[in-house]
Structure formats: structure tokens, C-alpha cells
Amino acid sequence: MKKIITYGTFDLIHSGHIHILRRAKKMGDYLIVGLSTDEFNMKKDKETYYSYDDRKLIMEAIRYVDMVIPEKTWDQKITDIKEHETDIFVMGDDWRGEFDFLNDYCDVVYLPRTRGISSTHVKNNMIHLRDDLH
Ligand code: C2G
């Protein structure tokens, strides 16, 4: 069984997230998602709309996702890859080069980001929409 792992915040799930999860899963048989905890998001200086528990519930409902584990630190990836015996580490290419050190432990693949969509974009557009409605 070929196991894939990827990491992220996955707040306000959108088509960009689904595209990378779908493509990652197609590379193997089992997809693990390291989901950033609320505490880790603060370290990433990322404010989320949904809590970790809500984001985990949503991720586990996505057909491409087989397991969700908490991402608590930048440094857990090697341990996770060893513990879960993953064959491929996948990230969007906005991270290109950042995780090449993982090549010692598994294949590292950066996939093109989906253009024109991000959680920040959704949040900002919702604010404008609300303002326009009032
Ligand atoms: N993504 C994408 N296309 C988009 C938006 C996001 O392909 N339009 C991908 C990102 O490249 C990433 C994944 O979806 O691989 C999750 O994106 P985020 O939730 O923004 O994750 P990020 O904050 O980049 O956290 O240790 C790694 C970090 O936890 C990654």
C-alpha cells in the first residue's frame, strides 16, 4: 500500500484544497493529512475561521482523506513519515524547495497550486459581500 502525506491548515475548504487532496490521493492508496492545530496556526501567524475540531471533522468527510493527524510543530514531519511509513510527501508548489530535506526519508512532490482561490480570498470576499448587502 502506497502511503501519501500532506500538511496544511485547510480552513474554509475550497476547490484548491480539494484539487491537491485529489491529486495527492491519486499518487497512492492512502492519504494522511497533518492538520495544523489552532496553536500551531498561531505560530504560523494564521488566523482560522474554523477550530481544529471543526476542520478535522470536515477533512475526515472528504473522500480522498484516509487519516487526519494533528500538526503541532514544524519539526514533526520526519517522525510522522517514519511512524506512518509514508512513501510520498506532497505539498503545493508555494512550498517548493522548503521540504527537500525530506528526500532522505520519502519522495517529495510539489504540485501546482490552484490559481485564483485561497481561504484569505474567500474571507475578504465575504466581508465585501456583507458590506454590499447592508
Ligand atoms: N493549496 C493549493 N491551492 C490553493 C490553496 C492551497 O494547492 N489555491 C494547497 C497548499 O499549497 C497546501 C494545501 O493546499 O499544500 C493546504 O494549504 P493551507 O491550508 O494554506 O496550508 P499552509 O498554511 O500552506 O500549511 O507544514 C506545512 C504547513 O502546515 C502548510
Side-chain angles (χ1 to χ4, degrees):
M1 179 165 68
K2 186 176 278 191
K3 298 174 83 174
I4 321 288
I5 193 164
T6 189
Y7 292 80
T9 298
F10 293 100
D11 191 31
L12 297 174
I13 283 290
H14 54 67
S15 55
H17 295 137
I18 298 302
H19 284 314
I20 194 158
L21 294 170
R22 180 176 48 77
R23 286 175 295 168
K25 181 58 177 286
K26 271 177 73 172
M27 298 173 81
D29 310 291
Y30 192 89
L31 175 61
I32 300 167
V33 175
L35 188 64
S36 308
T37 60
D38 297 330
E39 296 75 15
F40 184 50
N41 276 318
M42 285 196 299
K43 287 184 198 156
K44 294 199 294 187
D45 200 21
K46 254 196 161 178
E47 202 181 338
T48 58
Y49 183 82
Y50 288 125
S51 68
Y52 174 79
D53 289 344
D54 284 346
R55 287 182 288 116
K56 183 171 186 286
L57 182 72
I58 292 164
M59 291 304 289
E60 287 172 338
I62 296 173
R63 69 172 66 177
Y64 307 118
V65 177
D66 297 289
M67 176 190 278
V68 178
I69 59 173
E71 181 188 29
K72 299 178 179 174
T73 72
W74 290 110
D75 310 322
Q76 67 183 74
K77 294 181 175 70
I78 294 173
T79 309
D80 290 345
I81 287 165
K82 286 179 179 174
E83 183 183 334
H84 296 282
E85 298 175 325
T86 53
D87 303 284
I88 308 175
F89 168 88
V90 173
M91 283 303 289
D93 62 4
D94 47 318
W95 290 95
R96 182 174 297 285
E98 296 297 322
F99 301 112
D100 291 355
F101 66 93
L102 295 173
N103 264 308
D104 295 338
Y105 306 94
C106 67
D107 293 342
V108 175
V109 175
Y110 299 101
L111 296 174
R113 264 176 80 93
T114 302
R115 309 180 70 76
I117 184 78
S118 70
S119 305
T120 309
H121 180 90
V122 171
K123 272 185 264 189
N124 293 342
N125 271 15
M126 288 306 288
I127 291 165
H128 292 318
L129 189 64
R130 185 198 56 205
D131 294 350
D132 292 350
L133 290 175
H134 293 92

